[in-house]
């Protein structure tokens, strides 16, 4: 049985499906703050084609069900994520977060669709500081934070404008050193829903995980380094069938069922606690971004 129809935005899941013999992929794993941190580096075009992921670095943090965190646990995970964001920022820009670094956060997704509202929800919780640089320069220097600006561009069906077009206009005006794109993702495994955070330096293709590909948002298309930050909130319905068959040790299926699973007409499923998940994930990602770029004085 093929798993070609099982869509995922997570590089780690793509690597697992491809097996250990794939060249051009480097993987490491470590434990930190009670989380498992997987680092995947895709280094060859061959591996990128097989995995369906651009060349780059993908950090996956397995942290447990985010919507069940208490305040202390949420703070620990946010601190871990903030450290990863700072490290990737330094790698991409050659600078540490602080005065002199402009960061533009784009919250992708549809705020009116619960499972897709992670990006807008994250932006709503951020404290912008870029305007202080001009209007309250003494305060800005005293804070020592990055010049943070943020925008939720909506989706094509709402605006009639490709997300990339809107972000290009904002980037030309704001001229940041770094763009952080926040989005809800799709997972291959149900166990990763609201339990995994992915950070990557390869940008993002909005809607790719659910088969609704939009124009890629990358350093090449925006002209500045891009960090993509997201959490899976949905899974393909065909994947649920696949997992059920595997649990029943059914490896061979009829041609008719195979055709149904691969016909591209499946739908996407989110957990019943979707509203709680979206709220908790948005809060966690906003806290991580704030700690990384704004610091403790405003965090």
């Amino acid at each position: 049985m093929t798993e070609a129809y099982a869509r995922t935005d997570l590089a780690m899941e793509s690597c697992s499906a491809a097996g250990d013999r794939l060249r051009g992929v480097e993987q490491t794993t470590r434990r930190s703050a009670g989380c498992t941190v997987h680092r995947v580096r895709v280094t060859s075009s061959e591996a990128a084609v097989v995995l369906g992921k651009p060349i780059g670095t993908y950090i996956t943090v397995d942290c447990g069900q985010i919507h069940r965190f208490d305040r202390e646990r949420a703070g620990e995970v946010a601190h871990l994520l903030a450290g990863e964001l700072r490290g990737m920022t330094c790698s991409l820009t050659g600078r540490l977060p602080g005065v002199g670094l402009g960061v533009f956060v784009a919250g992708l997704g549809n705020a009116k669709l619960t499972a897709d509202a992670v990006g807008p929800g994250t932006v709503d919780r951020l404290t912008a500081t870029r305007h202080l640089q001009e209007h309250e320069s003494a305060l800005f220097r005293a804070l020592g934070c990055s010049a943070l600006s943020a925008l939720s561009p909506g989706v094509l069906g709402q605006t009639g404008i490709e997300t990339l077009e809107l972000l290009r206009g904002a980037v030309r005006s704001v001229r940041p050193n770094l763009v952080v794109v926040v989005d809800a993702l799709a997972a291959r495994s149900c166990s990763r829903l609201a339990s995994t955070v992915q950070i990557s330096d390869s940008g993002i293709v909005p809607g790719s995980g659910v088969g609704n590909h939009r124009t890629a948002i990358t350093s090449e298309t925006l002209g500045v380094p891009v960090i993509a930050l997201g959490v899976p909130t949905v899974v393909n319905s065909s994947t649920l069938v696949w997992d059920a068959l595997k649990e029943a040790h059914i490896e061979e299926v009829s041609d008719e069922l195979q055709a149904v699973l691969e016909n591209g007409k499946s739908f996407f499923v989110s957990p019943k606690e979707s509203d709680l998940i979206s709220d908790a994930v948005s809060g966690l990602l906003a806290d991580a971004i704030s700690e990384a770029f704004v610091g403790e004085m405003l965090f």
Side-chain angles (χ1 to χ4, degrees), residues 186-199:
R188 162 69 181 83
S189 170
C190 294
S191 64
R192 294 195 180 279
L193 295 181
S195 300
T196 298
V197 182
Q198 178 172 272
I199 306 171

Side-chain angles (χ1 to χ4, degrees), residues 14 31 43 48 79 110 132 154 169 175 193 205 210 232 245 277 295:
S14 297
R31 293 283 297 175
T43 60
H79 183 69
N110 187 343
L132 299 177
R175 292 182 291 179
L193 295 181
V205 180
V210 296
L245 292 173
I277 288 171

Side-chain angles (χ1 to χ4, degrees), residues 20-38:
D20 298 329
R21 298 181 180 180
L22 183 61
R23 296 183 179 180
V25 177
E26 301 172 3
Q27 299 187 60
T28 60
T29 301
R30 77 177 201 275
R31 293 283 297 175
S32 179
C35 303
T36 303
V37 182
H38 309 271

Side-chain angles (χ1 to χ4, degrees), residues 255-288:
D255 292 341
E256 290 79 8
L257 178 55
Q258 185 81 16
V260 170
L261 293 175
E262 297 181 357
N263 67 6
K265 295 181 180 179
S266 58
F267 53 91
F268 286 81
V269 181
S270 62
K272 64 180 183 296
E273 309 95 337
S274 185
D275 53 343
L276 298 177
I277 288 171
S278 181
D279 185 68
V281 168
S282 297
L284 176 68
L285 299 186
D287 285 351

Side-chain angles (χ1 to χ4, degrees), residues 27-165:
Q27 299 187 60
T28 60
T29 301
R30 77 177 201 275
R31 293 283 297 175
S32 179
C35 303
T36 303
V37 182
H38 309 271
R39 184 180 298 267
V40 174
R41 288 190 65 236
V42 181
T43 60
S44 72
S45 56
E46 176 189 0
V49 171
V50 172
L51 297 177
K53 307 297 176 191
I55 291 174
T57 299
Y58 301 81
I59 299 169
T60 305
V61 178
D62 289 335
C63 55
Q65 294 184 320
I66 295 170
H67 58 295
R68 299 187 186 279
F69 288 174
D70 58 23
R71 181 172 297 183
E72 180 180 0
R73 181 57 180 159
E76 293 172 348
V77 176
H79 183 69
L80 171 62
L81 296 174
E84 296 294 342
L85 286 171
R86 284 193 292 264
M88 190 169 284
T89 297
C90 187
S91 175
L92 291 174
T93 67
R95 305 183 187 184
L96 287 170
V99 175
L101 183 74
V103 181
F104 175 64
V105 181
L108 305 189
N110 187 343
K112 297 181 179 180
L113 185 61
T114 304
D116 196 34
V118 169
T122 299
V123 165
D124 285 346
R125 290 165 170 80
L126 295 176
T127 299
T129 59
R130 177 177 175 270
H131 58 296
L132 299 177
Q133 196 170 20
E134 178 180 353
H135 300 292
E136 298 286 348
S137 57
L139 174 61
F140 182 77
R141 288 193 300 270
L143 291 174
C145 59
S146 302
L148 183 72
S149 53
L151 175 70
S152 297
V155 294
L156 181 64
Q158 296 172 318
T159 65
I161 307 171
E162 284 283 0
T163 300
L164 177 63
E165 295 179 67

